[in-house]
Amino acid sequence: MPHPKKLKEDAILEALCELRLQAPPNIPEEVVIGRLIDCGPWKDWQLKRLPNSDIPYAIRQAEEGLRYQPTVELRKDGGDRLVKVGPSSFSYHFVGNYPGWDVVKRELDEAVEALFLRISGLTVKRLGLRYVNGMDSERHRVNSVADLDLSVCVGGETVESSLNLNFARVSSDVHTVMTRVASKEFVKGQLGGSVSTVIDVDVFTPSSFESSDQNQIKGWVEQAHDFEKDAFFALLSDEHVDYLREQ
């Protein structure tokens, strides 16, 4: 069954694309950040320094957990878009009301073009496209993980209530799809009152990946979105998809 182009009730809480970057070694950290801030539509958004900006650069580079963390955030008025920037990272976030893939793809393409325009010799070392979905008992008829097309057995007994499950599939040479399914009690942060289950789909490149080709990066994102949809709809029965499909 073909996937719906749009659901009558979106479940997307946040969609984001992350790029891990390598600028030429002759460009200092502060210059990289300055150039990434001062380009694209986000250059006029509200700027906020993040806590990682207070950690010395040498320490951040030495610690794997800190190396790719952003140091600056820019948020659009209204809060439905934000950009996070670090000396080795850039991410573009769609929060709240999801504008549809056509808009998302156009804005991500424009962001990629802006990055390469501002930093000559830029290399992308990792790409990630992630969708976090909140399945709602009222709008999506998902009262618990038991309503998904998913079965987990332990000792011959099916787990039907609280669940936190992660699994990965390699979908192409440059796309790995990590799917996380969790009951709301395992999820930190604010969720809507009737959200029962979170489906988090993260598509990313292997550790060997690198590219300085804008068209390759844009094509990767397009394919990643297809794999993301495959992973999401694999968790729903055909009858459930028919109910959610926008007529």
Side-chain angles (χ1 to χ4, degrees):
M1 175 183 292
H3 302 322
K5 183 174 177 61
K6 191 176 188 306
L7 302 182
K8 59 186 177 183
E9 293 283 357
D10 263 330
I12 300 166
L13 303 175
E14 181 178 8
L16 65 101
C17 184
E18 182 203 26
L19 297 84
R20 293 186 179 176
L21 311 173
Q22 181 177 294
N26 62 319
I27 304 179
E29 170 199 14
E30 61 271 16
V31 175
V32 172
I33 294 174
R35 291 182 183 178
L36 295 183
I37 289 173
D38 190 31
C39 69
W42 56 86
K43 64 182 179 181
D44 297 320
W45 296 357
Q46 184 178 0
L47 186 147
K48 179 177 74 172
R49 292 176 69 250
L50 299 175
N52 282 324
S53 64
D54 294 325
I55 302 173
Y57 176 72
I59 295 177
R60 283 188 274 114
Q61 285 298 104
E63 293 289 338
E64 183 70 26
L66 296 174
R67 188 177 306 155
Y68 299 105
Q69 292 300 309
T71 56
V72 176
E73 176 185 289
L74 299 103
R75 185 177 293 269
K76 186 179 180 181
D77 289 343
D80 62 349
R81 304 282 198 283
L82 65 91
V83 161
K84 296 182 180 181
V85 175
S88 303
S89 66
F90 173 91
S91 58
Y92 197 108
H93 304 244
F94 300 84
V95 183
N97 294 326
Y98 184 69
W101 175 243
D102 291 343
V103 173
V104 170
K105 182 60 166 63
R106 184 181 70 249
E107 293 189 22
L108 293 180
D109 284 351
E110 291 171 351
V112 170
E113 292 167 5
L115 300 184
F116 278 87
L117 181 64
R118 291 294 284 153
I119 301 182
S120 179
L122 184 67
T123 300
V124 175
K125 304 287 288 184
R126 184 186 189 274
L127 285 163
L129 182 70
R130 183 179 179 187
Y131 277 71
V132 181
N133 303 272
M135 304 305 292
D136 192 298
S137 58
E138 297 175 1
R139 297 183 300 133
H140 307 119
R141 293 186 179 178
V142 176
N143 296 306
S144 71
V145 292
D147 292 322
L148 300 178
D149 193 7
L150 172 71
S151 178
V152 177
C153 293
V154 178
E157 295 186 3
T158 302
V159 178
E160 294 185 338
S161 54
S162 297
L163 180 70
N164 188 1
L165 174 69
N166 302 343
F167 59 94
R169 291 175 177 169
V170 177
S171 296
S172 84
D173 290 344
V174 290
H175 294 85
T176 296
V177 182
M178 176 70 74
T179 303
R180 302 177 177 90
V181 180
S183 305
K184 68 177 182 180
E185 56 264 35
F186 292 103
V187 181
K188 295 181 180 179
Q190 295 295 320
L191 297 173
S194 55
V195 170
S196 67
T197 306
V198 172
I199 300 174
D200 182 343
V201 182
D202 188 5
V203 187
F204 54 89
T205 53
S207 59
S208 59
F209 178 86
E210 67 175 51
S211 178
S212 298
D213 184 336
Q214 295 184 46
N215 291 328
Q216 181 185 16
I217 292 167
K218 293 175 185 177
W220 183 95
V221 171
E222 185 79 51
Q223 284 186 295
H225 179 251
D226 291 338
F227 291 134
E228 182 277 329
K229 290 183 69 174
D230 290 343
F232 176 79
F233 285 109
L235 292 167
L236 304 176
S237 67
D238 289 347
E239 293 77 14
H240 211 147
V241 173
D242 280 340
Y243 168 74
L244 296 173
R245 187 188 304 269
E246 185 177 62
Q247 303 300 322

